[in-house]
Structure formats: structure tokens, C-alpha cells
Amino acid sequence: MNDPNAGPTRRLVALGLAVSLGTLTPASAQPRAEAASPAPGGPGAPGGGEPRTVLLARPLKRKLLPGAEATEEAETWAFADDGAVPVLRFRKGEEVSVRLVNETPSPLSLHWGGVRGPNAADGVAGLTQPAVAPGASFDYRFTPPDPGTFLLRPLAPGHAGEAAGRGLAGLLVVEEPEPPAVAADHVLLVWDRRLEPSGAFAPFGAPAEAALAGRLGNRLATDAGEAPKRIEVAPGTRIRLRAANASNARIMRLRFDGLKVFVAAVDSQPADNFEPLRASLPFPPGTRYDLMIEAPAEAGAKGAVVALIGEGVALAEIVAAAPSA
């Protein structure tokens, strides 16, 4: 939210929602401020030394729309050279030690959504820490007491919407001491982008986005970039899929086509494995599911995780791939 006093009318919000849903398709220099990093050890932790992980946030020009009609690259903000989102994996009891280096033109912080940790490492700029200025860094150190799948998102008030809309997001995976037996452990982080026909981002800070509805996108993306994400597994095997909605405002449902699915955890809270009612689940912003998925038994068969928007948008394809010779 850039201007909380510039709220739109209900008509404007409804019009923006209708336009967004109607166009949604699957996605296939200012001076740097001088600021010091925190003292060795970082907030909320007795340890010291260099962090295990460094997340360098910086602008990255990328072509996000296919086809010759897309004439512009979008200025994304990313933690990786290819624009992929980070997936940080730790075991329960391990210290999470991460340094955020801000090379974007905007103040940043990192909020660890759903983690029970020390307040000083919660990542709410202006409340639990100062915002990380452009050119500065900040160390996060904490030991999550619970296993689970957690969202990593920017949370500097007044700037978080643009940072998330340009692509800054990630996942923190805290593994159980004895994880369930699966053939593979995959992630599916979903968010939407709001793009102009040229391929550039629609301007940030429009008055309609100051409403509680937030910024609706018109093109879905996943951690792998374009949707749908392709996941190949051995026929008939069971995989774990950690699905998270990192969108700012996109409310959707997930449908599972051609797949046997069990929900093992909701927002990192373990559940007795249950099947989704009518093979679908609500998936509003911030939601995380740990899903146990049985791949099709026949080699070459496919199943899909679909967002129920319009006629449906495939987010992931689960392909039963034949073993290599």
C-alpha cells in the first residue's frame, strides 16, 4: 500500500478485479545509502560468524511475456541471476542464519511468515528492525522450534507491495527429524504478476491498489518461472509437494486433476492425512500446504495442479516419466 488515504470506490475495485480475471493466462540510479550491518551474531541469536546463506536482492531485467508483441523486458527484483526464488532448507534444531543484502532502490526487510522465532528476527521493518536501506545488509539468526513450510517475503511497510510484485519471495523449509517416506520433496510457490501488453510491469502505486484488495496480477508465475511447472517422477511413486501462495491479493482454489492427493499439513500445522473435498482446496494469499501426491501409475501419464481461475490455469504438471535406460 503506497497511499492509505487514496482508497478507491467499490466500482473501481470491482472493475479492476473483473479486468484482472478476464485477462489472466498461464505464464509460461540513485546513490547507495551507507548503513552498517548489525553486530556479529545478528538479532535474537547468541552465535556469531558469517551467515550460512546470503540473499542478494537486486534488479534483473527479464522478458516475462512470450511472443514478438512483447517489446519490453520487465525490471524484476530477484535473489538469483535466473530469477528463481530461493528455497532455504534446514533441519529442525538447526540455526537459520541468513544475510539480506539490498541492491534494490527500495528499503527492504524479510519476514518469515508462520515461524515462531525471536521478535528481533521477525523482519517487520519499523517494528522489529530498521528497514534495510539500499546498499546495506542485515543478518537474521534464529532457530525455528517447529518443522514446516514457511513463506519468506519482504515486509517494509509502504514498499513491500512493489518488492513482492517484482518477484522477491522465497520459502523456508524446516525438515522433520524423521520426514515421511517419499520419492522426492518438491515446492510450488505461486504468485501473480501485473504486466502491460508490452511486457513491462504495470505501474506500481495506483490508487486502486491502496484498497484492502491489494494488487491483483494478470499472469501467474511459479518458483520455476513460467507456469505450469513440470515435475517428473517415477510412475506410481509418492512425492511431497509444498505449495504456497505468495500473491499479494490473488484468492484462488486448487484443483487436482488425475492425481491422488492427501493433505499432510496446513500452514505448517500437521494434519491427519485427509483427501481434499471434491479434489480442491482454498488457496488464499499466504496459505501453505504440505501435500502427499501419488503419481500416475502408467509411464507417460500426467496429472495437474490447477488454479480455478476462469477456465482453469495449470500451475504444475506431474508427469510419470519412464525410468532412463
Side-chain angles (χ1 to χ4, degrees):
M1 294 172 62
N2 293 294
D3 183 1
N5 296 317
T9 64
R10 292 184 181 179
R11 181 182 180 88
L12 281 176
V13 174
L15 179 61
L17 178 61
V19 170
S20 179
L21 288 177
T23 59
L24 188 62
T25 57
S28 166
Q30 64 184 49
R32 288 169 45 168
E34 295 297 327
S37 297
E50 289 298 305
R52 170 174 158 177
T53 303
V54 175
L55 292 179
L56 173 60
R58 59 184 176 182
L60 177 67
K61 290 278 192 178
R62 296 178 62 204
K63 186 175 181 180
L64 300 180
L65 283 182
E69 66 276 9
T71 58
E72 293 185 65
E73 293 182 317
E75 185 179 300
T76 66
W77 297 351
F79 292 115
D81 290 343
D82 61 358
V85 301
V87 180
L88 311 181
R89 291 184 179 267
F90 294 81
R91 288 195 174 275
K92 182 182 176 182
E94 283 187 312
E95 180 189 62
V96 174
S97 57
V98 175
R99 175 169 295 163
L100 170 65
V101 180
N102 184 10
E103 294 291 345
T104 76
S106 173
L108 291 179
S109 68
L110 290 181
H111 174 60
W112 312 83
V115 175
R116 294 191 302 130
N119 192 56
D122 194 48
V124 184
L127 182 62
T128 66
Q129 68 166 91
V132 183
S137 64
F138 190 88
D139 286 0
Y140 295 90
R141 293 182 183 273
F142 57 94
T143 302
D146 312 300
T149 305
F150 305 97
L151 264 174
L152 185 162
R153 294 192 288 184
L155 194 51
H159 305 277
E162 181 175 3
R166 291 189 184 275
L168 289 183
L171 284 175
L172 170 66
V173 172
V174 181
E175 299 175 346
E176 306 96 327
E178 297 182 5
V182 292
D185 188 321
H186 294 274
V187 302
L188 179 66
L189 186 145
V190 180
W191 78 97
D192 58 354
R193 300 162 169 156
R194 190 166 188 83
L195 300 174
E196 301 281 14
S198 66
F201 280 114
F204 290 87
E209 295 170 14
L212 296 178
R215 178 182 171 93
L216 283 168
N218 55 14
R219 196 169 186 88
L220 291 181
T222 72
D223 53 281
E226 304 300 316
K229 177 179 181 178
R230 182 181 173 91
I231 299 175
E232 294 188 358
V233 297
T237 58
R238 173 174 286 195
I239 67 170
R240 183 179 196 163
L241 183 66
R242 303 174 185 265
N245 185 352
S247 301
N248 177 274
R250 174 63 61 191
I251 299 172
M252 63 188 101
R253 291 187 69 87
L254 297 180
R255 187 184 69 206
F256 305 98
D257 295 344
L259 299 169
K260 189 75 168 179
V261 177
F262 299 91
V263 180
V266 181
D267 292 342
S268 301
Q269 299 299 309
D272 292 332
N273 286 7
F274 65 90
E275 292 187 64
L277 182 64
R278 298 187 180 90
S280 74
L281 289 169
F283 199 45
T287 301
R288 293 109 55 205
Y289 289 113
D290 284 32
L291 305 172
M292 300 297 170
I293 298 180
E294 295 181 5
E298 182 181 352
K302 298 180 182 180
V305 181
V306 177
L308 292 180
I309 302 173
E311 296 182 356
V313 181
L315 300 175
E317 290 184 345
I318 313 295
V319 182
S324 56

